[in-house]
Amino acid sequence: MTHANSPAPDSPLPAASALASKARDFRLRMAVIDCETEAALDRTRDRHGRTVHADAAAAARAHRDQAALEAYATHLAPHAEALLDAARLALDALPPARHLTGWRAVLDGLASSAAEIRRALDRPAAPGSSAERAQHAALWPHLTAWADHGPIASNLADQRDGRDHKAPLTDEEQQLWTERARAAQTRGALELTESWYAADGQPITLAYLVEDDDSTVVALRGDPGVPGWQVIGHFAHEYEAGKSLPAPVPPGVLRSDISRFNRPAPAPELSLQDLIRDVVEGHSAGDASNALLGAVQRGYAAGPMVRLQELLETSSQFASALETVQGRQIAARLSALGRQIEFLTREVEEAAEDLGATVAVLPPHRTPVLRTRPRPAVDTTPPAPPPRASTTARHR
């Protein structure tokens, strides 16, 4: 589909809200398919995540591909072009912002995927054949593109319907409410509750402004962590604010190449519980040493301590990507914690190697206790129960 083939702005289009609803229905169905597939694939793996039933895994993915194509045919195939047309019209009407170029590229990619899917639907392979399975597998990336990025097209189509905004505050009212909110923030009485970005790329934050045991919902524009933010409205409750303020646009992503529906196969890993059990059940210093080395193992099958460091580093990147003052501060804290985990990892690795070098075993006097005791003989008198405590007790 090219932009030249899109209808003129004055030509009739289906209701934007109805088009957006179709895309949301498809994404919902894809989320269900994804959960069902993950459950089926889990049954093909061992306890450490390794695939041990390859044929069953391939069958689960083939079923996933077919179900996804059927969902697209049901929910989106008749409406994809109209949805993209509505989204493009809305995009052209938005004020300049940093994210619009990326959104335009997303719409172009969705149009290409829709064309690929349409060609396959028009010329399907023989049912049940290997050619059909190959065709469906080739369409999976295009189907997941709509599941991952369709919300951008849906949101733009909804934006085209517009929203009646209340008249902005006068300059005098805005200055008054901003001063009250800043004073409340200084004394810790401005409670932030929700944040989103408007279509113009500006952040909007809802907060409770508490004064004399009474609270008012206020909307702030800008980063509440730095000077310069302003109050753009005050409301009786959050529902009124949601109806009056600019609608939220889809939030961004930490990494542009990540897809919920195309996750890489999980790497095999040992849980901490397994490693602790290996130590408890071990007999030699080498057993405990191997368990500790498993916790700090690096590479493909990384151990829990290495994974924890990766989690801290990734969370630091996320906090920094928020592009707020508080986000950058928290990113620095998480980065410092990651360095501490790295130091601890090296210490554990050295201790594990020293433990393994002791070449020792547990002494034999650490005798195991039988979990089942022998039953008493039939003629044996059972032991007397312990004496009961005296019924009289002194109370202080």
Side-chain angles (χ1 to χ4, degrees):
M1 185 197 318
T2 62
H3 193 65
N5 293 332
S6 299
D10 295 333
S11 63
L13 280 174
S17 58
L19 293 172
S21 176
K22 296 297 182 182
R24 283 190 286 268
D25 290 344
F26 172 70
R27 180 176 170 83
L28 256 172
R29 178 62 188 138
M30 284 289 285
V32 173
I33 293 170
D34 179 61
C35 290
E36 293 174 346
T37 304
E38 283 301 313
L41 290 175
D42 282 344
R43 292 191 290 270
T44 69
R45 302 177 181 126
D46 65 11
R47 59 185 301 200
H48 302 307
R50 294 182 292 255
T51 299
V52 292
H53 302 292
D55 291 343
R61 292 190 179 93
H63 178 75
R64 173 202 68 183
D65 298 344
Q66 181 176 1
L69 183 58
E70 291 173 353
Y72 183 92
T74 300
H75 298 291
L76 266 180
H79 312 286
E81 292 187 7
L83 175 62
L84 290 172
D85 289 338
R88 283 197 174 99
L89 288 173
L91 187 62
D92 292 340
L94 291 178
R98 290 173 57 187
H99 56 270
L100 298 190
T101 300
W103 280 7
R104 200 174 301 280
V106 166
L107 296 182
D108 291 342
L110 291 177
S112 297
S113 291
E116 289 291 332
I117 300 169
R118 169 52 59 192
R119 278 193 287 270
L121 289 174
D122 290 342
R123 291 188 290 273
S129 65
S130 58
E132 183 189 52
R133 289 193 294 274
Q135 184 184 56
H136 292 174
L139 290 177
W140 175 250
H142 299 291
L143 295 165
T144 58
W146 271 94
D148 282 320
H149 309 304
I152 292 179
S154 301
N155 185 271
L156 283 168
D158 275 342
Q159 295 277 348
R160 183 173 177 269
D161 277 347
R163 174 185 287 192
D164 294 330
H165 302 292
K166 286 187 175 180
L169 300 175
T170 64
D171 292 342
E172 183 178 354
E173 289 175 327
Q174 188 176 68
Q175 182 178 357
L176 173 64
W177 278 94
T178 300
E179 290 175 354
R180 290 172 62 179
R182 288 176 180 168
Q185 185 184 48
T186 301
R187 64 176 184 271
L190 187 68
E191 181 184 349
L192 307 182
T193 61
E194 186 180 358
S195 179
W196 67 87
Y197 278 87
D200 61 1
Q202 287 294 316
I204 295 177
T205 304
L206 290 185
Y208 281 106
L209 170 60
V210 181
E211 295 176 314
D212 301 326
D213 296 330
D214 189 22
S215 64
T216 304
V217 176
V218 294
L220 321 176
R221 181 182 290 273
D223 182 358
V226 295
W229 56 267
Q230 293 181 320
V231 173
I232 60 173
H234 57 91
F235 311 93
H237 43 71
E238 293 186 13
Y239 179 71
E240 180 187 354
K243 291 193 303 180
S244 305
L245 293 169
V249 299
V253 293
L254 180 61
R255 298 173 183 170
S256 59
D257 59 342
I258 295 299
S259 166
R260 169 184 173 177
F261 302 96
N262 287 299
R263 296 189 183 103
E269 62 180 2
L270 289 173
S271 71
L272 279 175
Q273 291 187 59
D274 289 337
L275 295 173
I276 293 170
R277 187 189 62 191
D278 288 346
V279 175
V280 171
E281 296 178 353
H283 299 285
S284 69
D287 296 331
S289 173
N290 288 336
L292 288 171
L293 290 174
V296 297
Q297 179 174 316
R298 303 173 190 273
Y300 175 66
M305 289 192 69
V306 176
R307 294 295 188 201
L308 176 59
Q309 183 188 0
E310 292 176 1
L311 173 62
L312 291 173
E313 291 175 350
T314 306
S315 299
S316 174
Q317 295 169 11
F318 185 96
S320 178
L322 294 174
E323 298 184 4
T324 64
V325 169
Q326 285 188 330
R328 287 189 288 271
Q329 292 171 347
I330 296 171
R333 289 171 55 192
L334 291 171
S335 181
L337 289 171
R339 291 192 295 271
Q340 293 179 38
I341 294 296
E342 169 63 20
F343 172 78
L344 288 175
T345 299
R346 291 197 300 267
E347 288 289 304
V348 171
E349 188 172 7
E350 292 178 8
E353 291 173 349
D354 292 343
L355 180 59
T358 60
V359 192
V361 297
L362 293 173
H365 65 76
R366 300 186 65 87
T367 309
V369 177
L370 290 175
R371 297 182 64 86
T372 57
R373 298 183 182 276
R375 296 172 61 184
V378 177
D379 297 335
T380 303
T381 303
R388 298 179 59 184
S390 174
T391 54
T392 59
R394 298 178 65 181
H395 298 277
R396 294 184 179 181

